[in-house]
Amino acid sequence: MLKLKLHRNKLGLGLASRATATTTTTHGNHYQYLQNSKLPTLYFQRSLPRLPIPLLEKSCERFLAAVQPLLSEAELQQTQQQLEQFRQGIGMELHAKLKLQDAANKHTSYISEPWFDMYLADRAPLPLNYNPLLVMKPDERPQYQQQVARATNLIISSLRFWRSLQAHKLEPEVFHMQPKKSDTASYRRWMSIAPKAFATYASYAFKAFPLDMSQYDKLFGTARIPGLGKDELVQSPKSKHILVMRRGNMYAMNVLDSSGYIHSPSVILGRLRAIMELDAQRDAASVPLGVLTAAQRDVWARARAHFVSNGTNAQLLEQEVDAALFCVCLDSEQDGGYDEANPTPLLHHLLAGKATNRWFDKSISLLISADGTAAINFEHSWGDGVAVLRYFNELYKDTLQSPFVSASTPHTSAEGDKQNVRVLNFEVDAQTADAVQAAYAENARIVDSLDMQQLRYGKLNKGTCKQHKLSPDSVIQLSFQLAYRQAFQRYVGSYESCSTSAFKHGRTETMRPCTNATKQFCEAILRPSNQQPSANELRAMIDKCSSVHGQLTKEAAMGQGFDRHLFALRRIAQTEGLPLPAVYECDAYKRLNHNIISTSTLGSDALLAGSFGPVVSNGLGIGYSIQNAFAGAIVTSYKNQAEGKVFIDSLESAFDKICAVIEQSAKSN
């Protein structure tokens, strides 16, 4: 403990002096770039394999297996007949068309364009429906946790990440199966002499799997622009400013100089402090325009079309807001802070909240609470968790190890610097004010209906799983199935996201965690105690669940799921004006895709908490993680439509039951 304290003190003093020293060396690589990889960032991109299209027969088999736990015997037989008709009829025609289309577009994957279109065409509001939340662990040193200091360091680290990415100096994204053997200098030397056309396959020999990085360039300078019927993504990668929001007021702040270099820490700190001072002299925004980004997309599209009919507004919106590299939302004391004993009020606020100090259309928004709690709320259409989590982890690591400013760091004054700190004074008429008021009321109605529950379960953690040779993810997913079954006496459509980024332009695939194996275990353990199988038999059933879960995960990650394949076939029918095949209208397909249990694992040492909204009105949105000290879950639901509190209580009971089986089985062996 003494060594740790000494190390922290030494670190703190060193960094405090560094903050002033860097002002004269800000054009050096050490400041301008987060990384200086020996392998260029996109080194493996050319040689990534293409996402395979599964065999139609296999997709039909997998669909039938996934839906079986949800159906009666009669329903299953009917579904089997419909599926067979599809496989031998229109399905073959659609599959052939998909194969031809894929062969004509070898630069991408068969799912990439349809998936973008699916996101951009959905008219649902972004908060709760799409934009997720990742909350960062705090910096335990008060001088770096202070709001403006933390915001400054997060901005600088974000820019260092962005500059590294643009200069191809960011380490390529590689999943290392055996990091001690492959995440090494020797591996990188071997890779550097491998021909680019075969580099990915050379990496496989080290059990290191390069991942697609095509989404990374949309992390910054990207905005989703609302349109009637479908939105579009616009990107301004050469921007030199960020958008800063405070109490609904909006500011553009330059962070890069005319040559594209990151301004010195004292300059960025000074400009943020100037914004805080400016804002203290103003009222909170009477018409907080950001609320419109929380509206239903067609509503926002119509409001925006009217708003930009004013030339001043159009210029400010397009050049300062849409084109900003990212958004920084500095929340006020009234918005609260993180309370470990009761974190849900702040998480609720950060996930959706009042929307008065947000611009949900930006690819990335950094949210900084008054107490320095930092979070990322991101627009989802442009990319998936792999890119965002990499950015999130690098950000946390860099600000923890190499913060450039503290609460006491002197700053370069930006008072009166209207060129680099620009107040965005929009011209708001009565029609826009009414649109904001209506959007605020509708968002408040939806957000107020959101219930959020949290569980931290100490008996189940990484150590427990390792000790008992358990797959952490499969055990938690089994717990969700047991919790729902014992609380609501049924099995429902369940969704676990799995990345397919091992392939060029891969997105995600669905892993269906409700299986015959999980159903058999749940039924067995819920019998009266005198009718239950032995602990060893139940443990064998847990292992069977884990085996099935592992196989399904492997299939999904290797592009051998069925959800995206069936989705793409349906889109072919729709785009070519063909009748929708009957299998898509059958009860089994609808039941499986009504994802009442929607889950996402949030595995990161940088993560304090993560959350997202339910994907259906009567569903549960479950963000979960298993850490060194506990297994945790944050469950969202809509009041009077799903019972989140009942589920979370049942989940604790499910954990108890499964842990008891594991312990009893271990004792008897």
Side-chain angles (χ1 to χ4, degrees):
M1 189 68 179
L2 178 62
K3 287 177 71 176
L4 178 63
K5 285 182 177 177
L6 286 172
H7 174 69
R8 282 185 175 175
N9 286 336
K10 184 178 177 183
L11 186 69
L13 289 169
L15 294 171
S17 60
R18 170 181 166 172
T20 54
T22 51
T23 58
T24 58
T25 60
T26 53
H27 284 188
N29 284 355
H30 181 66
Y31 177 66
Q32 292 295 322
Y33 301 110
L34 184 72
Q35 294 172 355
N36 188 16
S37 174
K38 294 186 182 298
L39 295 175
T41 304
L42 300 179
Y43 188 76
F44 296 102
Q45 197 69 22
R46 177 182 167 190
S47 60
L48 284 172
R50 298 194 66 222
L51 182 68
I53 298 175
L55 295 172
L56 180 60
E57 182 178 355
K58 283 291 184 184
S59 287
C60 291
E61 287 175 6
R62 289 166 179 148
F63 168 75
L64 196 63
V67 82
Q68 189 173 349
L70 311 183
L71 303 178
S72 67
E73 192 61 37
E75 290 171 329
L76 184 64
Q77 287 181 4
Q78 184 182 11
T79 302
Q80 196 165 8
Q81 291 171 2
Q82 291 173 314
L83 206 56
E84 191 60 20
Q85 290 171 0
F86 174 76
R87 187 184 70 80
Q88 294 184 7
I90 185 65
M92 290 179 66
E93 180 185 343
L94 296 174
H95 182 75
K97 288 178 181 290
L98 180 62
K99 294 281 284 186
L100 284 172
Q101 190 179 87
D102 185 55
N105 293 277
K106 292 183 177 178
H107 65 287
T108 187
S109 69
Y110 77 90
I111 197 62
S112 182
E113 184 184 346
W115 211 241
F116 273 116
D117 287 348
M118 179 273 296
Y119 273 114
L120 294 173
D122 196 331
R123 304 292 80 202
L126 298 188
L128 299 184
N129 294 295
Y130 282 112
N131 285 31
L133 172 72
L134 301 174
V135 185
M136 199 174 285
K137 286 181 179 176
D139 192 321
E140 299 296 341
R141 302 161 297 181
Q143 68 269 35
Y144 299 113
Q145 182 68 8
Q146 188 269 342
Q147 185 183 32
V148 174
R150 194 159 204 213
T152 302
N153 286 320
L154 287 167
I155 290 167
I156 293 171
S157 292
S158 296
L159 296 170
R160 280 156 53 79
F161 183 98
W162 176 230
R163 293 265 293 146
S164 301
L165 183 62
Q166 286 186 308
H168 304 290
K169 293 174 180 287
L170 194 72
E171 281 276 348
E173 186 72 16
V174 178
F175 177 68
H176 296 276
M177 290 284 287
Q178 299 174 355
K180 289 182 180 178
K181 293 183 179 179
S182 62
D183 195 5
T184 62
S186 174
Y187 163 78
R188 290 172 177 81
R189 280 196 300 272
W190 278 107
M191 290 303 100
S192 67
I193 61 174
K196 277 192 177 181
F198 306 103
T200 295
Y201 297 93
S203 183
Y204 291 166
F206 290 82
K207 295 192 182 300
F209 297 87
L211 304 181
D212 178 76
M213 297 187 72
S214 62
Q215 297 174 7
Y216 278 62
D217 72 334
K218 294 184 178 66
L219 270 166
F220 299 94
T222 302
R224 178 169 172 167
I225 308 301
L228 289 175
K230 185 180 175 182
D231 297 349
E232 65 173 324
L233 292 174
V234 299
Q235 192 172 13
S236 309
K238 295 184 179 179
S239 288
K240 294 178 171 55
H241 71 280
I242 62 173
L243 173 66
V244 180
M245 300 185 71
R246 171 78 173 171
R247 299 187 306 152
N249 295 317
M250 302 168 73
Y251 306 85
M253 181 182 123
N254 284 357
V255 288
L256 302 177
D257 67 19
S258 58
S259 300
Y261 289 106
I262 306 169
H263 281 298
S264 71
S266 66
V267 166
I268 293 175
L269 177 64
R271 289 174 185 170
L272 268 190
R273 284 177 173 165
I275 286 174
M276 294 292 281
E277 290 171 8
L278 270 171
D279 203 71
Q281 298 164 18
R282 308 173 66 193
D283 293 331
S286 58
V287 183
L289 294 169
V291 171
L292 291 171
T293 67
Q296 195 264 5
R297 300 306 290 178
D298 281 343
V299 170
W300 171 207
R302 284 188 286 268
R304 180 178 168 120
H306 169 74
F307 187 67
V308 298
S309 63
N310 176 301
T312 298
N313 292 340
Q315 183 177 10
L316 288 175
L317 199 57
E318 292 166 11
Q319 295 181 8
E320 304 285 36
V321 179
D322 299 339
L325 288 172
F326 53 91
C327 180
V328 175
C329 304
L330 299 172
D331 285 349
S332 63
E333 291 78 4
Q334 287 75 22
D335 297 315
Y338 187 78
D339 179 359
E340 191 169 351
N342 183 25
T344 52
L346 181 64
L347 298 180
H348 194 279
H349 165 72
L350 294 174
L351 178 60
K354 300 174 184 176
T356 53
N357 201 48
R358 300 287 183 267
W359 197 266
F360 289 111
D361 289 359
K362 287 305 296 179
S363 52
I364 291 289
S365 289
L366 290 172
L367 319 179
I368 320 291
S369 298
D371 66 351
T373 299
I376 289 175
N377 188 302
F378 67 96
E379 198 280 313
H380 212 326
S381 68
W382 63 268
D384 303 308
V386 172
V388 176
L389 202 59
R390 167 77 183 275
Y391 162 66
F392 182 84
N393 289 335
E394 298 283 10
L395 208 59
Y396 176 71
K397 180 181 175 183
D398 194 46
T399 54
L400 207 64
Q401 294 181 352
S402 308
F404 284 87
V405 304
S406 71
S408 58
T409 299
H411 66 266
T412 300
S413 176
E415 202 173 318
D417 185 358
K418 295 181 180 180
Q419 180 180 349
N420 290 301
V421 178
R422 301 182 290 281
V423 180
L424 304 188
N425 288 317
F426 294 99
E427 297 177 2
V428 178
D429 64 12
Q431 184 172 330
T432 294
D434 288 345
V436 169
Q437 187 175 4
Y440 179 87
E442 178 60 11
N443 181 69
R445 182 191 67 79
I446 296 169
V447 171
D448 288 348
S449 72
L450 184 77
D451 179 66
M452 183 179 284
Q453 302 288 332
Q454 184 183 42
L455 173 65
R456 286 191 174 194
Y457 189 83
K459 289 185 191 177
L460 190 64
N461 51 53
K462 285 183 179 178
T464 310
C465 291
K466 188 174 181 180
Q467 177 189 347
H468 295 287
K469 298 179 180 178
L470 295 163
S471 161
D473 193 63
S474 68
V475 168
I476 290 187
Q477 288 288 346
L478 176 59
S479 302
F480 296 154
Q481 294 301 316
L482 177 56
Y484 201 91
R485 166 63 180 85
Q486 71 179 358
F488 306 112
Q489 293 76 52
R490 62 187 179 125
Y491 300 96
V492 293
S494 303
Y495 179 106
E496 180 180 3
S497 180
C498 181
S499 173
T500 53
S501 59
F503 300 95
K504 185 178 291 184
H505 293 190
R507 294 286 312 231
T508 60
E509 179 58 89
T510 305
M511 214 292 288
R512 296 290 177 179
C514 181
T515 66
N516 282 333
T518 61
K519 184 175 183 178
Q520 287 164 8
F521 172 81
C522 293
E523 293 306 312
I525 202 169
L526 291 176
R527 293 177 198 162
S529 56
N530 62 344
Q531 298 176 26
Q532 282 184 13
S534 68
N536 284 343
E537 289 172 320
L538 288 169
R539 171 59 202 257
M541 296 174 81
I542 291 175
D543 290 340
K544 173 67 173 175
C545 292
S546 182
S547 175
V548 172
H549 186 274
Q551 179 62 28
L552 291 175
T553 301
K554 182 179 178 181
E555 288 174 359
M558 296 308 294
Q560 294 298 325
F562 66 87
D563 277 82
R564 299 301 180 262
H565 186 197
L566 295 182
F567 173 87
L569 295 180
R570 182 177 61 179
R571 183 175 182 269
I572 292 278
Q574 291 169 334
T575 55
E576 299 209 1
L578 298 172
L580 193 65
V583 71
Y584 294 105
E585 298 287 0
C586 76
D587 187 58
Y589 187 84
K590 291 179 179 178
R591 203 180 301 179
L592 184 68
N593 286 280
H594 188 77
N595 295 303
I596 286 181
I597 298 176
S598 180
T599 72
S600 183
T601 181
L602 303 167
S604 165
D605 291 337
L607 195 74
L608 180 67
S611 186
F612 57 93
V615 298
V616 294
S617 60
N618 61 336
L620 305 167
I622 308 175
Y624 67 96
S625 65
I626 187 155
Q627 302 190 14
N628 292 326
F630 62 88
I634 296 174
V635 178
T636 59
S637 61
Y638 291 111
K639 298 169 187 175
N640 303 320
Q641 298 197 62
E643 297 177 279
K645 180 65 167 67
V646 173
F647 176 81
I648 208 82
D649 290 342
S650 183
L651 179 58
E652 185 168 18
S653 169
F655 280 146
D656 284 341
K657 285 182 172 67
I658 290 173
C659 285
V661 168
I662 293 165
E663 290 166 5
Q664 289 167 21
S665 176
K667 286 178 183 176
S668 66
N669 291 319

